[in-house]
Amino acid sequence: MPKMTFIEQDGTRRDVEAPIGLSVLEIAHRNDVDLEGACEGSLACSTCHVVVEPEWYDVLTDASEDEEDMLDLAFGLTKTSRLGCQIIMTEELDGLTVRLPAGSRNMMGG
């Protein structure tokens, strides 16, 4: 089974199993990684914002216009930022590494 790594805000690396077809957000939740998904993957928030390690960014499919619009609202946006709900695991992404940004801004005021 493919694996992926989450780098938590304190620098802790968490290597987890990453079933093909699941999103990074779903994988995070299965493994108790602290990645919020307030809108549950419906592209209505930016709380599942992750920073993809540069060597992996180009392997991902391009962000949709809707995802780009939501990323514009993400806190701590970087050149390799993506929304975790939009990154779907494939064989090619075995070993994918993403960082959790230092904070997130929930549009719901939380």
Side-chain angles (χ1 to χ4, degrees):
M1 170 158 336
K3 292 202 178 311
M4 70 167 292
T5 302
F6 289 95
I7 302 174
E8 298 186 353
Q9 291 167 354
D10 63 3
T12 306
R13 295 177 71 91
R14 295 262 311 268
D15 296 321
V16 300
E17 289 193 342
I20 289 173
L22 287 189
S23 72
V24 165
L25 177 61
E26 291 168 314
I27 294 163
H29 287 175
R30 281 188 171 199
N31 293 282
D32 296 321
V33 172
D34 187 21
L35 182 60
E36 191 185 344
C39 76
E40 296 179 357
S42 63
L43 280 176
C45 75
S46 59
T47 54
C48 66
H49 169 215
V50 294
V51 179
V52 179
E53 291 292 87
E55 66 269 24
W56 286 102
Y57 188 74
D58 291 334
V59 182
L60 301 176
T61 53
D62 290 341
S64 66
E65 207 169 304
D66 288 344
E67 183 181 350
E68 296 277 5
D69 289 347
M70 277 300 137
L71 280 169
D72 287 342
L73 305 173
F75 184 79
L77 193 65
T78 73
K79 285 192 179 108
T80 62
S81 289
R82 290 294 300 265
L83 295 181
C85 68
Q86 297 300 299
I87 302 173
I88 306 299
M89 273 318 283
T90 62
E91 287 282 359
E92 293 77 42
L93 294 180
D94 186 9
L96 174 70
T97 303
V98 302
R99 285 176 185 276
L100 303 186
S104 70
R105 185 166 50 194
N106 188 332
M107 303 302 276
M108 311 302 185

